[in-house]
Amino acid sequence: MLSNDIIQQHNEKLQAEHQFKLTYLTELLDRKGIDIQTIIDKIKAFQVAIPSWALGTGGTRFGRFPNGGEPRNLEEKIEDVGLIHQLNRSSNSISLHIPWDIPSDANAIKQLLKAHDLTIDSVNSNTFQDQKDQPFSYKFGSLSHTKSEVRDLAIQHNIQCVEYGKMLDSKVLTIWLADGSNFPGQSHMRSAYQRTSDSIASIYKSMPDDWTMLIEYKPYEPHFYSMVIPDWGTSYSLCQTVGKNAQVLVDLGHHLPNTNIEQIVGRLMHFGRLGGFHFNGSMYGDDDLTTGSIKPYQFFLIFNELVDGMQDPSVKNPPLAWMIDASHNTKDPIEDLLQSVNAILTTYAKALLVDREELTDAQENNDVLRAEELLCDTFMTDVRALVAEASRQAGGAIDPIATFRGAKIRSGLVDKRGFSVATGL
Ligand code: RM4
Ligand code: MN
Ligand code: MN
């Protein structure tokens, strides 16, 4: 664990400039009738889960270029997330992928989580790869497979994931299904959907009542002609079929270019079926780049929709599960995650500043320009000092990345762990 003194030492160096920016923002917001501390408190409360599989260097099918010091096991993954949380105070949970993260001693893991002030977020099943000694292959599908023995294997795996989750006090199972087809005629589309729906229903039935099932969608990859769950409509229909504790999960990179994601978010919240979010940045598709790095305005419009839904008492949507789902091919994974969390909080903060009454008024009166300008004005406001202040007040760093670099944390991890490469993709 990082000593808190190091964080404080770095904060002291940055304090004067930080205060200067904060004073300006306090006055700016005050003029608009917004209490800065109310916004800071909301930022402090916003926590984003870190997936265990994002702590190592990601790769493409062409290669992987690790820099060393990657976590070698679940314990070290928890340590890395603990470090991120210590630096930004906004990443208080870790998502697991089974079988990459099977706990060998659940009690010891729970102790470790506690020591790092963390909890387990969701448990994610993996039927997109064959495991060693697996009796049947997922080459032609898992929950949608034509053969019942393969479907049963995949169903049992998901049930097993819930069992691991129970041991560690998780209450969320996330299913991302890689099933699909590569060529026209390969798969009977209606039957594949029906088999998937039946398989998901039997997993759902075995889940405890206080658990949530999140169903993710993705338009292409690993299959390129059709995916069994390609879009939010399919996820939504599966959720409707299985029961009230199933929710749609939106992964930002799982859309074709130019999809209006904010509208999808609005629709799902309206139906009360938006369960969670996987944050990342995307140029073309499932690029898994740093959140907010490519289309920051679109990201703001998505958050604007989320905050609008979260603040509207008529919207009956459950609390959302926030997670980063990114891959770090060229940047240090921890730095990239810190950067992503920062972009998420900054964008959330901006969405909180939108004058909803004024926006509604402009919308109701069809004042297109005023409505758009209102959003633009908020988007252009530099609110980074709010996020820095939220972290500082919570005991974290004013500038988490500068502190991570200044304290030479990565080289310390390389010394300790060597040229290790973490499990993941
Ligand atoms: C998928 C999807 C899932 C993630 C895997 C590793 O594209 O985004 O959420 O679990 O990648
Ligand atoms: Mn995802
Ligand atoms: Mn993905």
Side-chain angles (χ1 to χ4, degrees):
M1 237 184 267
L2 182 65
S3 120
N4 272 322
D5 290 350
I6 294 186
I7 296 181
Q8 297 319 322
Q9 279 161 21
H10 278 84
N11 282 357
E12 271 164 36
K13 279 188 251 160
L14 300 170
Q15 182 58 30
E17 197 180 326
H18 167 62
Q19 192 54 51
F20 173 74
K21 292 176 186 162
L22 196 64
T23 306
Y24 165 73
L25 262 181
T26 309
E27 192 171 329
L28 184 81
L29 297 184
D30 193 49
R31 283 170 188 231
K32 295 184 183 200
I34 302 171
D35 171 42
I36 200 166
Q37 192 56 44
T38 311
I39 305 290
I40 292 171
D41 289 343
K42 287 190 178 163
I43 301 171
K44 275 197 243 173
F46 199 96
Q47 298 289 323
V48 187
I50 306 293
S52 71
W53 58 99
L55 297 158
T57 318
T60 67
R61 64 199 169 93
F62 299 104
R64 191 165 168 180
F65 304 96
N67 287 318
E70 296 186 4
R72 293 165 293 185
N73 47 42
L74 180 54
E75 287 78 358
E76 291 184 348
K77 290 175 184 179
I78 291 171
E79 281 168 21
D80 280 11
V81 179
L83 180 74
I84 293 171
H85 187 45
Q86 231 192 321
L87 286 166
N88 68 15
R89 303 308 298 163
S90 300
S91 312
N92 71 359
S93 64
I94 172 166
S95 298
L96 304 184
H97 231 308
I98 303 296
W100 296 334
D101 303 311
I102 293 179
S104 48
D105 180 348
N107 279 330
I109 293 291
K110 279 211 254 185
Q111 291 299 321
L112 190 65
L113 287 166
K114 210 166 153 215
H116 287 279
D117 204 6
L118 301 175
T119 56
I120 296 288
D121 173 58
S122 57
V123 182
N124 297 252
S125 56
N126 177 344
T127 60
F128 48 87
Q129 293 170 325
D130 282 349
Q131 304 305 324
K132 209 168 147 270
D133 304 327
Q134 191 174 300
F136 308 105
S137 171
Y138 294 141
K139 180 171 180 180
F140 294 110
S142 58
L143 295 177
S144 78
H145 201 281
T146 49
K147 303 273 184 267
S148 66
E149 54 269 31
V150 187
R151 295 200 298 278
D152 286 343
L153 186 71
I155 291 168
Q156 286 314 317
H157 166 69
N158 276 275
I159 294 174
Q160 189 62 49
C161 287
V162 174
E163 290 307 317
Y164 288 129
K166 281 195 218 160
M167 289 179 196
L168 300 173
D169 302 328
S170 168
K171 287 193 185 314
V172 182
L173 171 71
T174 299
I175 300 179
W176 167 62
L177 202 62
D179 294 20
S181 68
N182 271 321
F183 297 98
Q186 180 186 333
S187 164
H188 187 273
M189 294 192 192
R190 281 187 292 109
S191 321
Y193 175 87
Q194 190 54 52
R195 291 191 293 263
T196 304
S197 177
D198 294 345
S199 299
I200 288 182
S202 41
I203 299 166
Y204 184 89
K205 271 193 213 106
S206 79
M207 237 177 40
D209 289 347
D210 59 347
W211 269 60
T212 300
M213 175 188 277
L214 297 177
I215 305 179
E216 201 170 341
Y217 58 89
K218 186 173 180 180
Y220 69 93
E221 204 208 15
H223 297 286
F224 297 101
Y225 173 64
S226 79
M227 291 287 281
V228 176
I229 312 181
D231 50 28
W232 72 271
T234 307
S235 286
Y236 175 73
S237 68
L238 290 165
C239 291
Q240 290 288 86
T241 308
V242 296
K244 66 173 180 26
N245 292 343
Q247 304 286 337
V248 179
L249 187 146
V250 174
D251 180 312
L252 287 179
H254 292 194
H255 303 89
L256 297 173
N258 299 333
T259 299
N260 189 334
I261 304 174
E262 56 269 32
Q263 190 172 34
I264 295 175
V265 165
R267 283 279 190 282
L268 287 169
M269 286 190 109
H270 189 67
F271 299 147
R273 284 280 187 188
L274 180 61
F277 237 83
H278 280 182
F279 293 115
N280 49 54
S282 152
M283 179 73 183
Y284 299 105
D286 196 31
D287 314 348
D288 282 342
L289 301 173
T290 314
T291 312
S293 61
I294 305 289
K295 293 171 191 151
Y297 188 49
Q298 180 198 41
F299 190 41
F300 165 72
L301 296 174
I302 292 167
F303 249 115
N304 176 53
E305 213 51 56
L306 286 166
V307 167
D308 190 89
M310 292 191 292
Q311 289 182 349
D312 184 343
S314 73
V315 173
K316 304 288 177 237
N317 198 75
L320 286 126
W322 311 108
M323 191 190 97
I324 292 176
D325 192 7
S327 173
H328 323 286
N329 302 349
T330 41
K331 295 180 194 162
D332 180 299
I334 292 179
E335 290 187 6
D336 201 346
L337 288 162
L338 289 169
Q339 208 185 4
S340 286
V341 175
N342 195 271
I344 293 163
L345 296 179
T346 305
T347 312
Y348 172 55
K350 287 183 185 185
L352 288 173
L353 299 184
V354 172
D355 187 335
R356 306 255 151 226
E357 270 179 42
E358 176 88 14
L359 182 61
T360 307
D361 188 69
Q363 289 169 341
E364 293 296 318
N365 291 297
N366 298 307
D367 192 340
V368 184
L369 184 134
R370 187 155 62 98
E372 191 200 355
E373 280 300 312
L374 201 120
L375 291 181
C376 279
D377 179 54
T378 318
F379 173 65
M380 298 290 190
T381 310
D382 182 356
V383 300
R384 288 174 294 178
L386 292 182
V387 176
E389 180 62 9
S391 175
R392 192 197 66 79
Q393 286 185 12
I398 289 176
D399 185 339
I401 295 178
T403 307
F404 177 83
R405 289 194 171 191
K408 301 201 176 357
I409 294 175
R410 179 57 69 191
S411 56
L413 291 172
V414 175
D415 289 345
K416 198 173 139 208
R417 299 171 182 171
F419 198 76
S420 51
V421 179
T423 45
L425 290 175

